[in-house]
Amino acid sequence: MTAPLLSVEGLRLAFGTGEDAIEALRGVDISIGPGECLGLVGESGSGKSLTAFTTMGLLPTQSQVVAGRVMFAGQDLLQKSERELEQLRGNDLSMIFQEPMTALNPVMHVGEQIAAPLRRHLGLSRKAARTRAIEQLDLVGIPDPHARVDNFPHEMSGGMRQRTMIAMALACDPKLLIADEPTTALDTTIQAQIIELLNGLRRELGLSILIITHDLGVIAEMADRVAVMYGGRVVEESPVDKLFDEPLHPYSKGLLRSTPDIDMPVARRLATISGAVPHVTELPSGCTFHPRCPDRLEICSKEAPEEKCVGAGRRVACWARDVS
């Protein structure tokens, strides 16, 4: 069996210290193999982006990792110094952030922004980095890249800015790309183009991808496996087809029921999950989903279920599943 490129093991992250510490990540376990795409899904506040930022060593203010490992290509990133992490970020490990308009520097040409990691990590000259930047813009399908390389971000459409972010993230041929909501705020046509682009680049470059989204349609188009997060932990992990055919966790079932279906009658209302994701300071005892769960048992409010293997490549943390 091929060793995973990335393995997050028992990751716990807390805000504050001592008795006042509040755990936001509560034992996250995920892994991604070479050339594989893992989808991380859940509502806002489930811990998806926080997991990604912690993996990159970009810890929020006043937070600290209290347990776990983040193994990347055989190295524990949590043991790396900031200087060592800076050498990895943008080089072997890269990320596309949610909002390209805020992630891109508004007063720098996009070509300069793509060239920066090339000069820093690969030592290219200014001229060679500019040439490579043009090649990267062409790679991600931006028309007339020789002219666009001198554009400012505000001179580009939302779809072009997202493509530019992808070009920048892939400039140094990373092994792993983390894509945080890469299709958010884009119209349906542009979303489809970005998904097609990422899938094509993955095949062409042999990329591993961690894609973070609340959109199960994106997961269906891109991911090999999916990990469902709620309350700062993974509650279900499954091959994508198995999750869509037979979700095991009540939260996964709720997410799927609330996803629009092209075959759905126009007059039918979408199902919803009652309640809302609790704030990290107000997580309930036991299983954090139990106040919203239609299948809850008495034990659910008292004790958090452990993740259990329930078949090839499938894990679930649910008391109701244990007795079903």
Side-chain angles (χ1 to χ4, degrees):
M1 183 177 178
T2 305
L5 176 65
L6 175 74
S7 180
V8 177
E9 305 167 6
L11 182 62
R12 292 182 176 271
L13 179 131
F15 290 91
T17 57
E19 293 182 1
D20 296 327
I22 299 170
E23 275 202 354
L25 297 181
R26 305 164 65 236
V28 175
D29 292 290
I30 57 172
S31 65
I32 307 171
E36 184 179 38
C37 180
L38 174 71
L40 202 56
V41 301
E43 295 166 280
S44 296
S46 294
K48 309 182 304 298
S49 294
L50 189 55
T51 298
F53 279 100
T54 305
T55 297
M56 292 284 289
L58 301 171
L59 299 184
T61 304
Q62 297 183 331
S63 69
Q64 58 181 330
V65 174
V66 295
R69 302 194 304 170
V70 177
M71 302 300 296
F72 175 71
Q75 309 171 72
D76 188 353
L77 299 187
L78 298 182
Q79 302 302 317
K80 297 287 184 182
S81 67
E82 180 57 30
R83 185 173 182 179
E84 290 172 321
L85 287 172
E86 287 176 356
Q87 291 299 314
L88 284 169
R89 289 195 292 254
N91 193 8
D92 290 336
L93 183 63
S94 199
M95 187 169 183
I96 305 169
F97 297 93
Q98 272 194 45
E99 294 292 341
M101 196 59 194
T102 55
L104 291 169
N105 189 325
V107 298
M108 284 180 66
H109 295 135
V110 295
E112 295 177 67
Q113 298 185 61
I114 297 170
L118 293 166
R119 298 182 67 194
R120 177 186 179 89
H121 295 296
L122 304 185
L124 298 187
S125 67
R126 187 177 296 274
K127 181 179 179 180
R130 177 183 171 85
T131 299
R132 179 70 177 269
I134 293 170
E135 292 171 352
Q136 288 298 112
L137 290 174
D138 185 53
L139 176 70
V140 298
I142 290 183
D144 197 11
H146 289 83
R148 289 292 184 180
V149 73
D150 292 318
N151 278 177
F152 290 102
H154 72 268
E155 297 177 303
M156 308 177 93
S157 67
M160 281 192 177
R161 287 195 294 267
Q162 192 63 283
R163 288 173 183 265
T164 299
M165 284 292 298
I166 296 170
M168 188 187 310
L170 299 182
C172 296
D173 297 325
K175 297 174 183 174
L176 174 66
L177 176 66
I178 299 176
D180 189 3
E181 299 280 6
T183 61
T184 295
L186 300 176
D187 66 47
T188 305
T189 301
I190 303 301
Q191 282 187 23
Q193 292 174 2
I194 296 299
I195 291 170
E196 183 180 2
L197 171 64
L198 288 171
N199 280 334
L201 291 171
R202 177 186 164 201
R203 291 189 297 268
E204 183 178 343
L205 304 176
L207 270 176
S208 296
I209 298 178
L210 172 61
I211 184 161
I212 299 162
T213 182
H214 63 276
D215 189 336
L216 285 168
V218 173
I219 293 297
E221 293 289 335
M222 287 193 62
D224 301 305
R225 291 185 297 116
V226 58
V228 181
M229 284 196 73
Y230 190 86
R233 66 179 299 199
V234 174
V235 296
E236 180 171 355
E237 183 182 333
S238 173
V240 167
D241 57 344
K242 295 290 186 183
L243 183 86
F244 280 84
D245 290 343
E246 186 191 0
L248 301 178
H249 196 280
Y251 182 56
S252 305
K253 295 174 184 177
L255 289 177
L256 285 165
R257 281 195 298 266
S258 61
T259 301
D261 189 325
I262 196 169
D263 297 322
M264 180 186 297
V266 176
R268 185 186 141 196
R269 294 187 63 180
L270 279 173
T272 60
I273 304 174
S274 63
V277 177
H279 189 271
V280 67
T281 60
E282 300 173 341
L283 292 176
S285 60
C287 172
T288 53
F289 186 61
H290 86 262
R292 308 174 69 190
C293 182
D295 301 329
R296 60 181 175 268
L297 306 171
E298 185 177 347
I299 193 174
C300 298
S301 63
K302 300 175 182 177
E303 189 176 342
E306 296 293 328
E307 287 182 77
K308 293 187 177 180
C309 294
V310 289
R314 305 203 72 179
R315 296 183 296 148
V316 66
C318 179
W319 289 117
R321 177 69 192 179
D322 288 347
V323 299
S324 60

